[in-house]
Amino acid sequence: MQTEMNGANQTVVTEFVLLGLHDHHDLEMVLFVLCLGIYSMNVLGNALLIGLNILDPHLHTPMYFFLSNLALIDISATSSVVPLMLAHFLETQSTISFPSCALQMYLTLALGSTECVLLAMMACDRYVAICQPLRYSELMNRQTCMWMATLTWGAGLANSLLHSSLTWSLPFCGHNVINHFFCEILAVLKLACGDISLNALLLMVTSTVLTLSPLLLIFLSYVFILTAILRVPSAAGRHKAFSTCSAHFTVVVIFYGTISFMYFKPKGKDLNLDKLIALFYGVVTPSLNPIIYSLRNAEVKAATIALLRGDLLSRKMSRFPVVL
């Protein structure tokens, strides 16, 4: 919807149209079924990881504390986009109000930035566990973990607040069709009437800092980790050491691999392909994390089995005295 400004020959955008893949309605029906199933698996799997971390004392360690933060990010990020997207798959025209679009863009930016930094913090945790095992409890104490988590979330939220404020201070006075499934910042900026050179510059700088800097820290951490593992004399010891960080390494490869393919591949003329890749990054990737950590982690498997048997809940309830 567009309204006329009083005293000026200019239209103000009050809502946006999300184009998605409305030219391919049959494909949208297929995507609806797939995305609904994957989203449900994502929410259940990541909620299970958070619940296990709360219920099982064996998982009250820094690694699982950060894993719970990752699970919360994955649930929040997909929930900010997927439910509305599923509803739009069933509609002939998909609209989103100006405030809802602003909120969606803020959340997706904030959670994406936070995940980049969090993966670096998790790499630091694995570095200390492998390279400084005798000082692990001292270095990665509760206070340090809380400080690292606060820094992670603070960086992501502040970055998103900066870009959201600059984006929505621009005038939007004409086109209101966003060529995407959701309010992605680059797609929104294309609709602005004003000069977006400052937005583009800051977006490039902050993306470099919050994406490549954590990646460099992860790379250096794994160089030291690999060096330390190769010094372990026994094959069993090397396997045990590597298994403690293999799940995190797999998540990093999938996360940064998808980002690299999205933003560094040659720009093609098929915009629908770009949107499908973005859909894979936003919906499929978060759902893989609980699978990876469950398959590659004996402690998570043991906690899941204990939960299914009712042992975790019974132990938790036994801590509370029954008053008759």
Side-chain angles (χ1 to χ4, degrees), residues 109-258:
L109 260 178
L111 295 165
S113 304
T114 302
E115 184 162 359
C116 287
V117 181
L118 180 63
L119 290 174
M121 296 298 182
M122 295 173 77
C124 293
D125 170 66
R126 292 300 83 207
Y127 162 76
V128 177
I130 300 296
C131 301
Q132 302 284 337
L134 298 180
R135 300 187 60 199
Y136 181 70
S137 299
E138 173 192 349
L139 295 174
M140 296 299 297
N141 56 54
R142 182 179 177 82
Q143 184 177 0
T144 301
C145 292
M146 291 301 296
W147 179 83
M148 292 170 71
T150 302
L151 177 64
T152 297
W153 284 92
L157 295 174
N159 174 62
S160 184
L161 181 61
L162 170 66
H163 290 297
S164 296
S165 301
L166 289 173
T167 298
W168 300 115
S169 64
L170 293 168
F172 291 86
C173 49
H175 300 293
N176 70 331
V177 178
I178 298 176
N179 192 10
H180 218 301
F181 291 108
F182 64 99
C183 293
E184 194 259 347
I185 184 169
L186 294 177
V188 171
L189 284 174
K190 290 178 181 178
L191 305 180
C193 303
D195 181 16
I196 63 169
S197 55
L198 176 61
N199 301 73
L201 176 63
L202 285 176
L203 193 60
M204 183 181 67
V205 171
T206 55
S207 296
T208 301
V209 172
L210 290 177
T211 303
L212 297 184
S213 297
L215 182 59
L216 178 61
L217 184 58
I218 292 168
F219 174 76
L220 292 175
S221 298
Y222 274 101
V223 168
F224 288 114
I225 288 171
L226 184 60
T227 303
I229 290 176
L230 293 176
R231 290 175 183 168
V232 177
S234 67
R238 288 194 296 270
H239 176 74
K240 182 179 179 181
F242 183 74
S243 65
T244 63
C245 53
S246 60
H248 174 260
F249 182 77
T250 305
V251 169
V252 168
V253 169
I254 294 174
F255 180 80
Y256 277 99
T258 310

Side-chain angles (χ1 to χ4, degrees), residues 290-304:
I291 298 174
I292 292 168
Y293 274 95
S294 299
L295 292 177
R296 293 178 173 269
N297 197 295
E299 291 175 315
V300 173
K301 289 181 183 177
T304 304

